[in-house]
Every structure is written in structure tokens, then in C-alpha cells.
Amino acid sequence: MIIGKREFYNNGAYIMGILNVTPDSFSDGGRYTTDEAALKQAEQMILAGADIIDVGGESTRPGYTPVPVAEEISRTCFVIEAIKEKFDVPVSIDTYKPEVAEAGILAGADMVNDIWGLRADDRMASVVATHRVSVCLMHNRKTPQYEDLIPDMLADLAESISIAKNAGIPEERILLDPGIGFAKNTQENLAVMRELERFTELGFPVMLATSRKSVIGNTLNLPVTEREEGTLATTVLGYMKGCCFFRVHDVKANRRALDMVKAIQHG
């Protein structure tokens, strides 16, 4: 897979560091809303082993309040520019809005991380293809009802892949995300975790994004501030089941966990 100038391999273990420049994200809302704080956090994540920085300007937690396009652009673009100016690291912009995606790309973003897998707005695929950047296609549904969970999810992702390919997005610029925590209840999220290897069947690298999410809190009965160990367990399991990208808040801990399991499996 190619993101920016860097090639990523399917047997790798890559960290996407989460940088929410929002006041209301479920875990770190309000912590990185100033440009200085955001840039410092990006630097700390890179030093801790982040391979990609994911910049988000709108919280997509359950019950979130949508942010106007102009506001989302103002939150994200200067931060993206500053990161790209100071560091040699791929940057993704976490948005499902084509206007925000295009502004982020022009600011330097190398990938669009779309929680609707190009299905929220018909223009998004064209934006990605036109600017020749990469895309992360996440699984999501407006109505969280399934006849057969995993096959239905695979069919939804296959539809997103078709949209991407029909728009002219090259296969080597496509990443998949099963969408833990989106349009799925706790038991469904656990079922997806048990069958993560199924998502590699689609022929694209898979990213796991479980960091501090409610599936961990509900399973362990823990608040968001105490979900690091649960996140690490999902990261290790995800790697063993074929995932190669991991979107996390706690970069250092997840980097160490991945390095350890890689050493055990591959020497």
C-alpha cells in the first residue's frame, strides 16, 4: 500500500496516531485544539513510533454534533500544513465531507480516512481520485441491522471498493477498516474481532481502530480513561489475525505491544 511517498507492506505493523483537533471527541476532546498543542502531540506520537498521523476536526462519537464545513476546515488544515512542514510523515484527514477532504489534501494530507467508505457523498471518490491520494474505507451503516453480520459487512465493504475503483482510485491506495464501534453493538463488535481475518479476504490491507472504544469499556466495565490494556489486547489480536494498521491514541504502548508480538511470530 502507498500513502504519500511511503510504501507499506501487508505483513507490517503500522501505527496511525490519532490527533483530534476537536473540543468534544469522546476520549481526548479539547486537549489539542490549539495549533501549538496539536503540533506538540503530533511530534510526541512520531517520536513514540507513529507511522501516520490522522487529523480529525469533527468528533464521530455516538450522538455527535455535526460541524459546519468551514469550521472543520479551519480546525484541520493549518495543523496538517504544520505537520507536513516540520515532519516527514504521511498524514491522513479523518472526514466524510468532500470539501473538507479536498482542503485537507491541498494542505498536504496524503490520505482520506472516510467513516462512510465513500458512500456518504458521491463526490468524495472523485476528490480522492483527482488528487491521487489514498483512502481508508471504513464499514458503516445508517441502519445497524444485519441478516448475517460478517457476510453483510464484507458486502458493504465490497461496494465501497467498487466505488473507489470505478472512480479511478488505484488498488494500491486502498485501505479497509471494519469499523469497530460504528453501527454495531458490543456483541457484534466482539464478533467482528473474532473474525478479523475474514476482512483480509477482500485483498486489501486492513486497519483496526479500537482504541479506548465502548466495546472495551462495556466488556471490562471501565471508563474511557482506563481502557489502555483492553486496547492493547485488541491490537495484539488484530495483528495475529492479519491486520497491519492500528489507529490508536496511546502510540508508545501499542508500538511496544506490536514489536513484541512481531518478534514472537517472526523472530
Side-chain angles (χ1 to χ4, degrees), residues 103-170:
I105 293 164
L106 293 175
D110 305 289
M111 182 167 74
V112 175
N113 185 11
D114 185 353
I115 66 166
W116 286 103
L118 302 179
R119 297 193 297 171
D121 192 308
D122 293 340
R123 298 170 294 166
M124 183 64 100
S126 177
V127 168
V128 173
T130 298
H131 292 283
R132 299 181 179 180
V133 295
S134 301
V135 66
C136 181
L137 306 174
M138 197 194 82
H139 177 266
N140 206 345
R141 273 191 174 192
K142 291 183 178 178
T143 303
Q145 297 175 352
Y146 304 91
E147 291 185 11
D148 195 348
L149 178 64
I150 303 300
D152 288 357
M153 289 178 63
L154 291 171
D156 291 346
L157 283 169
E159 182 182 337
S160 289
I161 292 166
S162 292
I163 293 170
K165 292 170 73 173
N166 289 338
I169 300 171

Side-chain angles (χ1 to χ4, degrees), residues 164-211:
K165 292 170 73 173
N166 289 338
I169 300 171
E171 289 191 1
E172 64 269 19
R173 292 194 177 274
I174 296 173
L175 176 64
L176 304 181
D177 178 351
I180 296 291
F182 288 81
K184 305 165 193 71
N185 61 33
T186 296
Q187 292 305 314
E188 288 167 338
N189 285 317
L190 292 173
V192 172
M193 289 296 303
R194 284 193 294 272
E195 298 193 54
L196 280 172
E197 65 274 10
R198 295 286 306 278
F199 295 90
T200 65
E201 295 173 5
L202 292 169
F204 296 89
V206 176
M207 181 171 77
L208 183 63
T210 56
S211 187

Side-chain angles (χ1 to χ4, degrees), residues 232-233 235-236 251-262:
L232 295 174
T235 294
V236 170
V251 172
K252 182 187 289 185
N254 283 274
R255 178 75 274 158
R256 289 175 175 175
L258 284 168
D259 288 347
M260 189 67 208
V261 72
K262 279 174 59 183

